[in-house]
Amino acid sequence: MNFKHEIDLNHVDEAMLQSYRSLRRWIGLLAIAFPLILIFAGRLWGIEVQPTLSNYYFAQDPVTVDHTPVRLWFCGILFVVGFFLARYPGFTKHEEKWLNAAGIFALGVAIFPMAINGQDQYGFILAPLGLSQLSLHGICAVVAFVCIAIVIFWYSDATLNELETSDPSLYRRYRWTYRGIAAFMVLSIVTAVCLNYAHHGQGAYILAAEWCGIWAFAVYWFVKNSEMKRVGDALKARKALLPHRSPPDLAERL
């Protein structure tokens, strides 16, 4: 019986594409689940709905051994999404840098907790800069959203341009969809920040604004998967797919 097998380049190409699609899908699904899991887990431990998602970091259940039972979910999901973003290979070098930055700042949201009772344990980092009224937690959250908005607004054309000649109407539809998602994300986070300062971190509207921004982020990844399928179809239609790679060439890219 022969147990030797040769590498199947067609299978490798398909596996790489599937990895891209799966990664985008999981980022979207985790973003959708993030606020739902925090609220559901909180209610499971008898914790009332919090004014902001960040409040779940310190939301307490005095009965259980772990007094902050939702913190694990808050940090865990942010770490997974942050890692995914940091490792997601963009379609241009600049896009990849912005995605890396978004992933790092998403990790920062989990690493640096929000201030509680006016006390920020990492406030000493910003105090010398005269920014003691801010928090690393908030800065990381805002910058992560801005990085993603930049990717959506400026770098979606890296793949979308393929549809400009093959299907102009579809190209315009995707382009305006991306711009709408980016604008909605920025509007949501700006609204959340303004409400947070105006109402001193209290009020359900802050949670709603954050929720909208996170779900807009999730929608982007599903739209991107849809767009990439159309781009693949357009490439196949004009037979513009890359030629098969030889095993040595493939080895350099694995």
Side-chain angles (χ1 to χ4, degrees):
M1 183 179 294
N2 184 12
F3 289 99
K4 291 185 178 180
H5 302 281
E6 293 184 358
I7 188 169
D8 185 342
L9 297 183
N10 289 324
H11 174 73
V12 171
D13 283 343
E14 181 62 26
M16 288 181 175
L17 291 174
Q18 285 288 355
S19 295
Y20 255 106
R21 283 193 290 264
S22 296
L23 189 53
R24 287 191 293 264
R25 188 183 306 115
W26 274 110
I27 293 174
L29 289 173
L30 283 171
I32 288 176
F34 183 51
L36 297 174
I37 289 175
L38 294 187
I39 293 172
F40 177 76
R43 295 302 299 150
L44 198 63
W45 273 288
I47 296 172
E48 295 294 328
V49 176
Q50 298 295 297
T52 73
L53 293 173
S54 297
N55 280 86
Y56 280 98
Y57 192 97
F58 288 117
Q60 293 190 359
D61 174 17
V63 178
T64 60
V65 175
D66 183 359
H67 293 328
T68 55
V70 190
R71 180 185 300 180
L72 177 65
W73 293 99
F74 181 88
C75 294
I77 294 175
L78 283 174
F79 262 92
V80 172
V81 172
F83 180 78
F84 275 6
L85 289 173
R87 296 305 304 158
Y88 180 82
F91 292 95
T92 70
K93 290 182 179 179
H94 291 299
E95 179 187 3
E96 190 162 331
K97 289 177 181 178
W98 284 108
L99 286 168
N100 289 341
I104 291 170
F105 282 108
L107 293 175
V109 177
I111 293 171
F112 305 113
M114 64 175 287
I116 183 170
N117 298 326
Q119 300 296 319
D120 183 0
Q121 60 183 330
Y122 293 98
F124 67 91
I125 298 176
L126 297 176
L129 303 175
L131 301 173
S132 56
Q133 74 278 14
L134 302 179
S135 69
L136 285 175
H137 177 85
I139 291 173
C140 287
V142 171
V143 175
F145 267 102
V146 170
C147 289
I148 291 295
I150 289 172
V151 168
I152 298 171
F153 194 87
W154 269 286
Y155 295 103
S156 58
D157 276 0
T159 53
L160 193 55
N161 278 337
E162 183 61 36
L163 298 176
E164 190 171 7
T165 53
S166 62
D167 194 337
S169 63
L170 186 62
Y171 166 79
R172 288 191 296 270
R173 189 155 60 242
Y174 274 118
R175 189 174 188 183
W176 282 109
T177 299
Y178 284 137
R179 290 184 175 183
I181 292 171
F184 190 78
M185 278 183 58
V186 172
L187 178 62
S188 297
I189 195 64
V190 169
T191 301
V193 171
C194 291
L195 288 173
N196 190 53
Y197 279 100
H199 298 281
H200 306 289
Q202 300 299 316
Y205 291 115
I206 304 173
L207 176 64
E210 292 175 337
W211 197 328
C212 288
I214 290 173
W215 274 18
F217 165 76
V219 167
Y220 163 70
W221 295 100
F222 293 119
V223 173
K224 192 66 179 178
N225 259 355
S226 171
E227 178 227 324
M228 291 308 300
K229 185 178 185 304
R230 299 298 186 96
V231 169
D233 292 340
L235 288 169
K236 290 177 183 177
R238 68 181 184 88
K239 299 180 180 179
L241 292 178
L242 294 175
H244 287 309
R245 294 182 291 271
S246 64
D249 180 57
L250 177 66
E252 294 176 1
R253 289 165 172 77
L254 290 178

